[in-house]
């Protein structure tokens, strides 16, 4: 095998390795985007949870107030 052929094969190997590296970076970016989407979903769910807790507390205060005003208690 001649030296030029070895050199060309080495260049092709390096290009293939670089393409694999770029594919891995794209995969990592896609995975990071999915991770961020999951965090946003979790934060949205937490916000809904906190809103529900606030509404329950407000309803309990209203019920307690109405019961005390009505003389039920």
């Amino acid at each position: 095998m001649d030296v030029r052929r070895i050199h060309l094969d080495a260049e092709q190997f390096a290009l293939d390795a670089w393409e694999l590296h770029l594919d891995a970076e794209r995969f990592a970016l896609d995975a990071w985007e999915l991770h961020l989407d999951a965090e946003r979903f979790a934060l949205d769910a937490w916000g809904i949870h906190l809103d529900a807790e606030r509404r329950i507390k407000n309803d309990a205060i209203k019920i307690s107030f109405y019961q005390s005003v009505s003389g039920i208690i």
Side-chain angles (χ1 to χ4, degrees):
M1 193 177 262
D2 120 29
V3 174
R4 285 179 296 210
R5 182 78 231 150
I6 293 171
H7 173 75
L8 291 175
D9 288 347
E11 278 187 346
Q12 187 60 52
F13 179 75
L15 288 173
D16 291 345
W18 186 251
E19 286 180 20
L20 288 173
H21 166 76
L22 292 176
D23 288 344
E25 282 190 346
R26 281 189 286 272
F27 178 76
L29 288 173
D30 290 345
W32 186 249
E33 287 178 13
L34 289 173
H35 166 77
L36 292 176
D37 288 344
E39 281 192 348
R40 281 189 287 273
F41 178 76
L43 288 172
D44 289 346
W46 187 250
I48 291 167
H49 164 77
L50 292 176
D51 187 46
E53 276 189 347
R54 181 186 54 78
R55 289 178 186 210
I56 289 168
K57 287 177 185 174
N58 286 343
D59 288 349
I61 290 169
K62 287 177 189 175
I63 290 169
S64 176
F65 173 75
Y66 293 138
Q67 287 175 341
S68 66
V69 169
S70 306
I72 297 175
I73 295 181

